[in-house]
Amino acid sequence: MTSSESISTANLPEDYRDLKATVADFARSVVAPVSAKHDAERSFPYEVVAGMAEMGLFGLPFPEEYGGMGGDYFALCLALEELGKVDQSVAITLEAGVSLGAMPIYSFGTEEQKQEWLPRLTSGQALGAFGLTEAGGGSDAGATKTTAVLDGDEWVINGSKQFITNSGTDITELVTVAAVTGVDAAGHKQISSIIVPTSSAGFTAGPSYDKVGWNASDTHPLTFDDVRVPRTNLLGEQGRGYANFLRILDEGRIAIAALAVGVAQGCVDECVRYAKERSAFGRPIGDNQSIAFTIARMEARAYAARTAYYDAAALMLAGKPFKTQASIAKMVASEAAMDNSRDGTQVHGGYGYMNEYTVARHYRDSKILEIGEGTTEVQLMLIARSLGL
């Protein structure tokens, strides 16, 4: 733990500090030793997910009545930061399982839906996913082509989705699908969210993608061919699916920022260690001002990004508007992760280009942080709108 990180942590209440320390120990002792193996094999880390489930991490922000831990969203963010230091694939599995899998049901579901699905999702025994993105549309809701048509007491769903996290594992039990269910008075597409059990006839998760990074994260294209689910599987109000999901994304951006801060800080920690141990021309490379200043700038980025996501999370927990602060945190933190992973690879020299080193995996993994859950360009658009531009 660096000095600026320890200052930030010292200001946290004891229960947050304890959680952070517990997850940090888990990340070092359980996650880190198998990260390179799962990355190289492109295998889903079931044993790590089981460990996180046993710790209650999937239930952190949910009430105990639904099998949760009775914590809050900031607790989840602290866990993501610690996991992000050593393995982004593991961290995003947790983030997506909570933010995109369980949170929509908790936020918009009926009591019956919550009782049916949340206990297994919050326990980590099962994973949920959210099917929004399509080949021609993600942020552009008007481009959504997947449809859901009522036939008696059933929705009949047809279409496809892509880049869906946690959608094809052995423990994935549901995908909440954004689908066109009609048109409104102005002629615009009416987007609704519908819970689709993965056991449904006509539901297919295609082969895993060949990705640049996040190789141990489960990501698939999905196909819906006359998939029939009960009418009661509508999640939230009909026609409010996309609007509700945007609310989920606002929260999710804080979580992604926390993950990205973990990456940025993890690169600092690796570089400090390496700069003290690696010698060249008779002295540690950290004695060279160019190396020391590079790492100092990396630390400043991590600190600034952490401050941004702490602020956004505080506003959210206080029930105050936080949309703009979430966008700022997500943008600043994802850029810090990308910049620090690049600089961290450079500090490590040739070793930084070897996949066995954490900085190398971070360098490949970090780019998606500037794309997923709202690109940098989308964040800039939202920030500009908040300024009246």
Side-chain angles (χ1 to χ4, degrees), residues 256-297:
I256 292 295
L259 192 164
V261 167
V263 175
Q265 191 66 61
C267 289
V268 173
D269 297 345
E270 292 294 321
C271 286
V272 169
R273 185 180 305 110
Y274 186 78
K276 291 178 177 179
E277 295 174 351
R278 177 75 164 97
S279 293
F281 304 104
R283 62 178 183 173
I285 64 171
D287 288 353
N288 296 307
Q289 192 177 73
S290 62
I291 297 294
F293 279 13
T294 295
I295 300 174
R297 191 174 294 278

Side-chain angles (χ1 to χ4, degrees), residues 164-185:
I164 309 304
T165 304
N166 290 350
S167 59
T169 75
D170 293 342
I171 58 174
T172 302
E173 293 190 359
L174 71 90
V175 178
T176 300
V177 180
V180 179
T181 53
V183 294
D184 61 21

Side-chain angles (χ1 to χ4, degrees), residues 72-359:
D72 57 31
Y73 208 85
F74 185 58
L76 171 68
C77 289
L78 292 175
L80 291 171
E81 182 179 344
E82 293 303 322
L83 293 170
K85 290 179 181 178
V86 300
D87 193 319
Q88 293 188 46
S89 290
V90 167
I92 196 60
T93 297
L94 175 62
E95 192 279 333
V98 174
S99 181
L100 303 180
M103 192 59 72
I105 295 175
Y106 175 66
S107 298
F108 309 114
T110 64
E111 186 60 30
E112 290 74 18
Q113 289 170 340
K114 294 176 184 179
Q115 294 290 347
E116 178 179 2
W117 294 108
L118 285 181
R120 289 186 56 76
L121 296 176
T122 59
S123 69
Q125 297 176 44
L127 290 175
F130 200 102
L132 173 68
T133 304
E134 299 184 2
S139 299
D140 180 8
T144 301
K145 294 183 178 180
T146 298
T147 60
V149 178
L150 273 177
D151 180 17
D153 287 331
E154 293 182 320
W155 292 104
V156 182
I157 303 170
N158 285 282
S160 61
K161 300 292 179 178
Q162 66 177 11
F163 310 142
I164 309 304
T165 304
N166 290 350
S167 59
T169 75
D170 293 342
I171 58 174
T172 302
E173 293 190 359
L174 71 90
V175 178
T176 300
V177 180
V180 179
T181 53
V183 294
D184 61 21
H188 300 133
K189 290 180 179 179
Q190 181 189 72
I191 309 294
S192 303
S193 297
I194 300 172
I195 300 171
V196 178
T198 55
S199 59
S200 302
F203 171 88
T204 304
S208 297
Y209 290 102
D210 182 10
K211 298 174 291 188
V212 172
W214 283 8
N215 288 329
S217 168
D218 179 82
T219 320
H220 297 265
L222 306 177
T223 302
F224 306 88
D225 184 9
D226 284 337
V227 174
R228 288 179 173 268
V229 298
R231 183 172 189 162
T232 54
N233 279 27
L234 178 71
L235 183 62
E237 182 183 344
Q238 185 169 338
R240 294 288 301 171
Y242 191 75
N244 288 344
F245 188 63
L246 290 180
R247 286 177 53 191
I248 293 296
L249 279 183
D250 288 339
E251 297 177 357
R253 283 166 184 153
I254 301 176
I256 292 295
L259 192 164
V261 167
V263 175
Q265 191 66 61
C267 289
V268 173
D269 297 345
E270 292 294 321
C271 286
V272 169
R273 185 180 305 110
Y274 186 78
K276 291 178 177 179
E277 295 174 351
R278 177 75 164 97
S279 293
F281 304 104
R283 62 178 183 173
I285 64 171
D287 288 353
N288 296 307
Q289 192 177 73
S290 62
I291 297 294
F293 279 13
T294 295
I295 300 174
R297 191 174 294 278
M298 292 167 63
E299 174 73 351
R301 293 187 193 117
Y303 180 80
R306 182 180 297 105
T307 301
Y309 103 70
Y310 274 27
D311 179 61
L315 290 172
M316 181 182 72
L317 294 181
K320 298 179 180 179
F322 66 93
K323 186 183 186 75
T324 301
Q325 287 76 13
S327 288
I328 291 172
K330 199 271 184 182
M331 184 183 74
V332 169
S334 61
E335 290 180 347
M338 193 69 225
D339 290 343
N340 278 15
S341 62
R342 181 194 62 240
D343 287 350
T345 299
Q346 189 71 21
V347 167
H348 279 69
Y351 290 109
Y353 207 59
M354 301 296 110
N355 280 324
E356 64 186 278
Y357 282 79
T358 304
V359 291

Side-chain angles (χ1 to χ4, degrees), residues 22-39 45 47-52 55 57 79 82-92 94 216 358 361-362:
T22 299
V23 179
D25 179 69
F26 176 81
R28 288 190 300 267
S29 62
V30 177
V31 182
V34 299
S35 291
K37 173 180 178 292
H38 283 297
D39 178 78
E47 77 283 15
V48 174
V49 171
M52 292 194 295
M55 294 171 65
L57 299 188
E82 293 303 322
L83 293 170
K85 290 179 181 178
V86 300
D87 193 319
Q88 293 188 46
S89 290
V90 167
I92 196 60
L94 175 62
T358 304
R361 297 196 299 276
H362 278 326

